Amino acid sequence: MTDEERRLREEIIAMCLRFEASGLNQGTSGNVSARFEGRMIVTPSATPYAAMTAESLASTALEGPPAWQGPLPPSSEWRIHRDILRARPEIGAVAHLHPTYATAFAMCRMAIPAAHYMVAAFGGDDVRCAGYAVFGGEALSQAALRALEGRTACLLANHGVIVLGETLAKAEWRAVELETLARQTWAAMQIGTPAVLSAAQMAEVRARFAGYGLRED
């Protein structure tokens, strides 16, 4: 393992620990992957984040049938990670989480509407909810890919969320923004019916979003 790969693996684990500390994930739920030199590195199955080491993460080439390397089996959701990284060459990291508020929308099979302009951070006029499919299967992977067309996040019906990033840091930033947006939308729904921005208003927001977001120097 090169020093560069070790650093990336350690960044994955550190991000997972921050997700757990902030409540975006709990226990052994959720998983994170990153692209590295034509391979995918992904968190292992059923392993507490605090118990993970750089060596315990699983990896396989992105092309061809999986040929896993590592002492532990990969996350049961490895197909989603692999298929997204195959289909979206601009994406370097994928996070699958079960945060409370965004998952509540997924349990209701509701998209998150553009009641706040920050929906534009995910590439469209809402955050779509993918159709339901059992976890760990090809059908769920395909449903997620459809919901992610032109987007960097989606909900998974009765399940959780998928968030994409050009880097691990960008994926983490979007994960935090998505749960914040879901919590704000939920709070607004307790008061009344949130006012949804029009397509024209959202187009104006997206035009101003060029270069907006987390800066990495």
Side-chain angles (χ1 to χ4, degrees), residues 6 20 26 43 64 89 99 103 115 141 189 194 197 199:
R6 179 174 293 276
E20 185 172 50
Q26 304 82 34
T43 50
T103 299
S141 177
M189 292 169 69
L197 297 172

Side-chain angles (χ1 to χ4, degrees), residues 25 29-31 75-81 83-84 94-112 127-149 151-164 178-179 182:
N25 242 5
S29 67
N31 27 81
S75 164
S76 61
E77 299 292 8
W78 63 264
R79 289 176 182 81
I80 288 182
H81 294 267
D83 293 351
I84 290 171
V94 179
H96 167 48
L97 309 169
H98 299 165
T100 299
Y101 288 90
T103 299
F105 276 88
M107 292 165 68
C108 294
R109 303 190 182 184
M110 293 173 58
I112 299 176
V127 178
R128 298 180 185 123
C129 185
Y132 176 77
V134 69
F135 74 92
E138 184 68 22
L140 180 59
S141 177
Q142 293 305 309
L145 282 173
R146 287 191 293 271
L148 285 166
E149 288 180 6
R151 309 293 175 89
T152 54
C154 75
L155 311 180
L156 301 175
N158 306 93
H159 190 153
V161 307
I162 294 285
V163 182
L164 313 183
L178 180 59
E179 179 65 353

Side-chain angles (χ1 to χ4, degrees), residues 165-199:
E166 296 80 0
T167 62
L168 283 166
K170 287 283 184 69
E172 183 174 2
W173 173 74
R174 289 191 178 110
V176 172
E177 292 293 342
L178 180 59
E179 179 65 353
T180 299
L181 179 65
R183 185 171 66 250
Q184 292 167 338
T185 305
W186 174 87
M189 292 169 69
Q190 309 316 299
I191 300 171
T193 301
V196 176
L197 297 172
S198 69

Side-chain angles (χ1 to χ4, degrees), residues 34-46:
R35 185 193 303 273
F36 183 76
E37 295 183 350
R39 300 182 65 80
M40 175 180 74
I41 301 169
V42 66
T43 50
S45 177

Side-chain angles (χ1 to χ4, degrees), residues 13 16-17 20 27-28 47-53 56:
I13 296 169
C16 289
L17 289 169
E20 185 172 50
T28 60
T47 305
Y49 299 139
M52 291 182 192
T53 65
S56 65

